[in-house]
Amino acid sequence: MGATERDACLQFCLKPRPPGDSSQRPQRPLLLMLLAEDEKFLTEVFAQLTDEATEASKRRELVNFFKEFCAFSQTLQPQNRDAFFKTLANLGILPALEIVMGMDDLQVRAAATDIFSYLVEFSPSMVREFVMQEPQQTDDDVLLINVVIKQMICDADPELGGAVQLMGLLRTLIDPENMLAPINKTEKTEFLSFFYKYCMHVLTAPLLANTAHDKNPKDLLESSTKINPVCPDNFQTAQLLALILELLTFCVEHHTYHIKTYIMNKDLLRRVLVLMNSKHTFLALCALRFMRRIIGLKDEYYNRYIIKGNLFEPVINALLDNGTRYNLLNSAIIELFEFIKVEDVRSLIAHIVDNFYKALESIEYVQTFKGLKGRYEQEKDRQSQRLNRYRRDARSMDEDEEMWFNDDEDDEEGESVEKSRTEDDFSDSYGKYMEAKKGTANGSNGASSNGKAAVAPPASPAASPTVNSSASSAKTTVLPATPLVKTGLVGLVDYPDDEDEEEEDEEEEQSPRKRPRLGS
């Protein structure tokens, strides 16, 4: 395509379409597609767009052309649309936007913002990749994201329409949810480190500048209505600070380490809570929402930071200054303390009750603060019981424990006595069994030699009482003796005399469980 043809196509594409005229609409996408394939033409347009010598009217036409170009891309198939935006990125549309968005012409900046929104919507990763390569070549003030932030801050529209649009684009760029590309898994860490290092101070500059005049220590006892540290406190500034707080609240929700470090290093929450004194209720609510998100994380690092800085004071002052009015600010503050009570954030409960309960005791239309007091007393009782448990003397024992140890000692003594008795009885019975067995062996030898039945000599009168006494003692203390012992003793005794029978009858009377004699 020659230069004359390209200019004709460009003029045709830029020519406004009459209302209701659809004759040119089928031709326009076709011509734009032909222009998108002409890289030489696009390179020349980018050069004219960024050239300071280009006339303002010519630059407006070029910016509007690219705006139309990007709007047309939404009608393409996904594959063609990807190729289209990749071609624009390779040819340098982002560096061109970086220059154009910083110009004074409002129309040029508005059209450039629309082009930037198309690019961010297409591929946030592509924009982030370009931005992270910039610090090696440029200063912090001319970084693309910083240019976007400054344009948001300097929006001349009383309603801040452009600032709202740019805030949404920044939110998309810093959202970790679209940083999970499988190709580059380190994108989240690298970009957030870059953003907090090079861009966060630009975003928070208006907030820190408008809350610089903090209260003096001498004024802490005075009513907060007498002091208004927000400067200036006009509607447009309040809207801008509300947008910034919305972004910071988003960071608290989705960023962890980076925003926590920044808040504590800059003491940012204290500066934000200064806005609780603003005459604009929506700004005070934004500041309260920022604190509510921090407390909602239930992070002890944040809790210690709040306790150390006594950062509940501006919130409670705002509640007391609000009086008995039932409005959104009152409900939001009550909800904050109700969350602390329901979630049982013990460190914050103790801090609130110890330092502010006297001021909050008079509020009886809700039970939130009495509930905080009850939680506080329960925790104190629990801690005192725990301390008493550990302070008890180690040598003192409960009655149940003493009875348990005494029962064990008695059982051990009984077992030892029983064991000794059993061993003695067993030794006596075993000795008698061996003597009887030896006598049986002698009797059998005599019978074989004489051919007569061997008769054992009668037991001595002194020996029988001993046997009977040992048997009776064994019966009373332990189980009956082994049957083998009794069988041996009975089988070896067979007295033909009457005296011997009388003695046997006496023995049977003394031991009723004795078996009948085998020879009877």
Side-chain angles (χ1 to χ4, degrees):
M1 185 182 293
T4 305
E5 295 176 349
R6 286 198 301 266
D7 293 340
C9 290
L10 180 60
Q11 293 297 328
F12 179 78
C13 293
L14 295 177
K15 182 180 178 181
R17 289 173 289 185
D21 183 10
S22 60
S23 60
Q24 297 175 351
R25 291 181 182 176
Q27 301 174 5
R28 189 181 298 263
L30 178 60
L31 294 174
L32 288 173
M33 196 65 190
L34 293 174
L35 292 175
E37 295 175 355
D38 194 343
E39 296 184 1
K40 183 178 180 180
F41 166 72
L42 293 176
T43 304
E44 292 176 359
V45 172
F46 285 138
Q48 293 180 17
L49 190 63
T50 57
D51 190 0
E52 296 180 358
T54 304
E55 296 180 0
S57 60
K58 181 69 172 178
R59 183 177 287 109
R60 291 193 198 102
E61 291 180 356
L62 295 174
V63 172
N64 289 327
F65 162 72
F66 274 111
K67 179 181 176 181
E68 184 80 11
F69 217 15
C70 294
F72 147 74
S73 67
Q74 304 303 307
T75 63
L76 298 175
Q77 295 296 326
Q79 185 176 359
N80 295 332
R81 185 169 60 249
D82 293 348
F84 171 76
F85 279 110
K86 288 179 181 179
T87 300
L88 292 182
N90 293 332
L91 294 177
I93 190 172
L94 287 172
L97 287 177
E98 190 175 39
I99 296 173
V100 174
M101 293 181 71
M103 294 183 176
D104 297 332
D105 193 329
L106 295 179
Q107 295 182 7
V108 171
R109 288 196 329 214
T113 301
D114 292 337
I115 297 171
F116 184 69
S117 65
Y118 284 120
L119 295 173
V120 172
E121 182 181 356
F122 164 69
S123 177
S125 297
M126 180 184 69
V127 178
R128 284 191 288 262
E129 183 179 359
F130 168 77
V131 168
M132 285 189 291
Q133 295 173 355
E134 287 187 290
Q136 303 174 0
Q137 304 171 0
T138 59
D139 297 332
D140 295 352
D141 295 336
V142 295
L143 295 176
L144 179 58
I145 291 186
N146 287 344
V147 171
V148 173
I149 293 173
K150 289 179 180 179
Q151 184 171 341
M152 182 186 76
I153 294 172
C154 301
D155 190 4
D157 183 9
E159 298 296 331
L160 298 181
V164 173
Q165 181 184 8
L166 292 172
M167 188 272 292
L169 297 177
L170 287 174
R171 182 170 178 168
T172 302
L173 289 175
I174 64 176
D175 188 359
E177 295 299 326
N178 55 45
M179 297 182 188
L180 303 179
I183 300 176
N184 185 9
K185 294 183 179 181
T186 62
E187 179 183 8
K188 177 180 177 179
T189 304
E190 292 178 356
F191 180 77
L192 290 180
S193 299
F194 162 83
F195 181 78
Y196 280 89
K197 182 177 181 180
Y198 295 103
C199 308
M200 194 62 165
H201 66 281
V202 181
L203 178 64
T204 57
L207 176 64
L208 299 178
N210 287 280
T211 57
H213 305 286
D214 203 349
K215 296 181 182 181
N216 295 323
K218 298 180 181 179
D219 299 331
L220 289 176
L221 299 177
E222 298 184 12
S223 175
S224 60
T225 56
K226 298 180 181 179
I227 303 171
N228 187 8
V230 183
C231 179
D233 197 18
N234 55 59
F235 179 74
Q236 188 170 1
T237 303
Q239 277 191 315
L240 175 62
L241 295 180
L243 288 177
I244 295 173
L245 282 176
E246 186 175 347
L247 270 178
L248 293 177
T249 304
F250 179 83
C251 294
V252 170
E253 291 177 346
H254 296 85
H255 307 165
T256 53
Y257 167 76
H258 296 87
I259 187 63
K260 183 192 301 184
T261 304
Y262 190 85
I263 288 174
M264 293 185 179
N265 289 340
K266 298 293 183 180
D267 198 11
L268 188 62
L269 181 57
R270 181 187 300 278
R271 305 294 286 273
V272 169
L273 291 177
V274 171
L275 301 176
M276 294 292 296
N277 299 320
S278 174
K279 64 183 180 181
H280 300 284
T281 305
F282 71 89
L283 182 58
L285 287 170
C286 288
L288 183 64
R289 189 181 304 114
F290 180 72
M291 185 178 188
R292 173 66 176 80
R293 291 294 181 272
I294 291 176
I295 294 176
L297 298 176
K298 294 188 287 187
D299 189 330
E300 281 302 317
Y301 287 100
Y302 277 129
N303 294 343
R304 286 196 291 267
Y305 165 67
I306 292 171
I307 293 170
K308 185 177 180 180
N310 196 28
L311 299 182
F312 276 107
E313 182 184 9
V315 178
I316 293 175
N317 286 338
L319 177 64
L320 298 177
D321 293 342
N322 190 66
T324 58
R325 288 176 292 180
Y326 182 66
N327 52 19
L328 188 57
L329 180 63
N330 177 273
S331 299
I333 296 175
I334 294 297
E335 191 276 334
L336 172 66
F337 290 104
E338 186 69 22
F339 174 82
I340 295 173
K341 184 195 76 174
V342 171
E343 295 297 327
D344 196 17
V345 187
R346 297 177 184 178
S347 58
L348 297 183
I349 290 175
H351 173 71
I352 293 168
V353 174
D354 287 338
N355 295 277
F356 304 106
Y357 186 72
K358 291 183 179 179
L360 300 172
E361 190 175 8
S362 60
I363 299 178
E364 297 181 349
Y365 54 87
V366 290
Q367 300 299 315
T368 300
F369 301 106
K370 289 185 179 179
L372 288 173
K373 179 71 171 178
R375 292 286 182 120
Y376 174 74
E377 292 175 350
Q378 289 178 3
E379 181 62 21
K380 285 188 66 176
D381 293 341
R382 191 180 300 112
Q383 291 180 358
S384 63
Q385 292 177 3
R386 187 181 299 113
L387 290 175
N388 292 334
R389 187 183 307 163
Y390 286 116
R391 286 177 179 174
R392 189 175 63 186
D393 188 1
R395 293 175 296 175
S396 63
M397 293 185 295
D398 295 338
E399 294 181 359
D400 295 339
E401 294 176 349
E402 292 179 354
M403 293 176 62
W404 185 80
F405 282 114
N406 292 334
D407 292 342
D408 288 347
E409 292 176 357
D410 295 339
D411 293 341
E412 290 176 358
E413 291 177 358
E415 291 177 358
S416 61
V417 171
E418 188 73 20
K419 184 176 181 181
S420 62
R421 290 177 180 177
T422 304
E423 292 177 353
D424 294 340
D425 294 338
F426 176 75
S427 60
D428 294 341
S429 301
Y430 183 74
K432 292 179 178 57
Y433 167 73
M434 294 302 294
E435 291 176 359
K437 188 175 182 180
K438 190 180 297 184
T440 303
N442 294 332
S444 61
N445 294 332
S448 60
S449 59
N450 299 327
K452 297 180 180 180
V455 179
S460 63
S464 59
T466 305
V467 176
N468 294 335
S469 62
S470 63
S472 61
S473 63
K475 291 176 183 177
T476 56
T477 57
V478 294
L479 295 174
T482 307
L484 292 175
V485 177
K486 289 184 177 183
T487 303
L489 293 174
V490 173
L492 293 176
V493 179
D494 186 9
Y495 299 101
D497 300 335
D498 294 337
E499 294 177 358
D500 295 337
E501 292 178 357
E502 292 176 0
E503 291 178 359
E504 290 173 0
D505 293 338
E506 291 177 359
E507 289 179 359
E508 289 178 357
E509 291 177 358
Q510 291 179 358
S511 56
R513 296 182 62 185
K514 189 173 181 181
R515 295 182 179 179
R517 297 172 57 130
L518 297 176
S520 60

